Amino acid sequence: IVGIITKVTMAFSMIYAAKVLGPEDYGTYGVILLWIQYIGLVKPGFVSQVTREIAVIQSNGKKFFKQQNVAISGELIFTIIPFLILIFSSLFYEDLTIRNSIIILAIVIIITRINEIWSSINLVKKKFNEVAKGRFIAGIIGPLIILLFIKNLGVYALVMYSGVAALSSFIFYSIY
């Protein structure tokens, strides 16, 4: 249900954003979307893989901390690499909106990946309700950021919404 709500609210938010931004600015966001897809390729999924394996490890009565720590370390390394690629790539753009958006995206990548790790840790701890609530919070906060700030921040609102949503989810996970 959380996934459906998120997708529906995001669809309406993006339609609204496209209308507010117009073709030129939404086209600028298209360039940023390409970078999001490129950076998505540098995501090995170590934590997701270990999360599935931990159930098997636990059923055998063994400790899983070593595997979890190795996965988290690998995931963090593959978070720093895209961050550096984005920062370096931003230097090649003359358009300040694109340059600044890519720098913001680099920060958003770190926030979202750390949130994904924290979410996976909560799944391992069998805090399924908390993970669902955290994802619901992120699913509501993201579109809200777009709706509230698209007129003032323009493309930047579209670039930062997922980071703000992930940060709110991370704060929720940290509290509970």
Side-chain angles (χ1 to χ4, degrees):
I1 293 177
V2 171
I4 293 169
I5 292 171
T6 301
K7 286 181 181 19
V8 169
T9 56
M10 280 306 301
F12 285 118
S13 298
M14 291 308 239
I15 291 169
Y16 177 72
K19 182 179 177 184
V20 170
L21 291 177
E24 186 176 329
D25 285 341
Y26 201 75
T28 300
Y29 179 62
V31 172
I32 305 306
L33 277 177
L34 286 173
W35 277 105
I36 292 170
Q37 290 179 344
Y38 294 150
I39 294 305
L41 297 172
V42 189
K43 186 177 177 184
F46 294 131
V47 172
S48 299
Q49 192 174 15
V50 165
T51 302
R52 290 188 294 270
E53 295 298 320
I54 284 176
V56 175
I57 294 169
Q58 282 179 322
S59 68
N60 293 333
K62 297 180 181 176
K63 301 284 183 188
F64 59 86
F65 297 113
K66 180 180 178 182
Q67 292 87 348
Q68 182 178 346
N69 291 340
V70 168
I72 290 172
S73 299
E75 202 71 41
L76 288 175
I77 288 169
F78 280 97
T79 298
I80 293 168
I81 292 170
F83 174 81
L84 295 174
I85 290 171
L86 285 169
I87 295 296
F88 182 71
S89 298
S90 72
L91 301 174
F92 292 99
Y93 286 96
E94 291 181 20
D95 184 319
L96 285 178
T97 304
I98 294 175
R99 180 182 292 175
N100 293 339
S101 295
I102 291 174
I103 291 169
I104 293 168
L105 180 61
I107 296 165
V108 165
I109 292 294
I110 289 177
I111 294 169
T112 55
R113 296 238 176 129
I114 288 173
N115 183 57
E116 289 170 8
I117 292 169
W118 198 242
S119 174
S120 295
I121 289 170
N122 280 322
L123 284 175
V124 167
K125 293 179 178 179
K126 299 180 182 179
K127 295 182 175 183
F128 304 117
N129 288 335
E130 284 78 8
V131 171
K133 289 175 188 174
R135 289 181 180 170
F136 180 75
I137 289 169
I140 297 299
I141 296 285
L144 264 175
I145 294 297
I146 293 171
L147 293 174
L148 293 174
F149 297 106
I150 193 71
K151 286 185 179 179
N152 294 328
L153 298 177
V155 174
Y156 299 130
L158 293 176
V159 176
M160 66 179 226
Y161 84 86
S162 61
V164 174
L167 187 61
S168 63
S169 180
F170 180 81
I171 290 169
F172 175 80
Y173 292 146
S174 298
I175 294 171
Y176 298 98

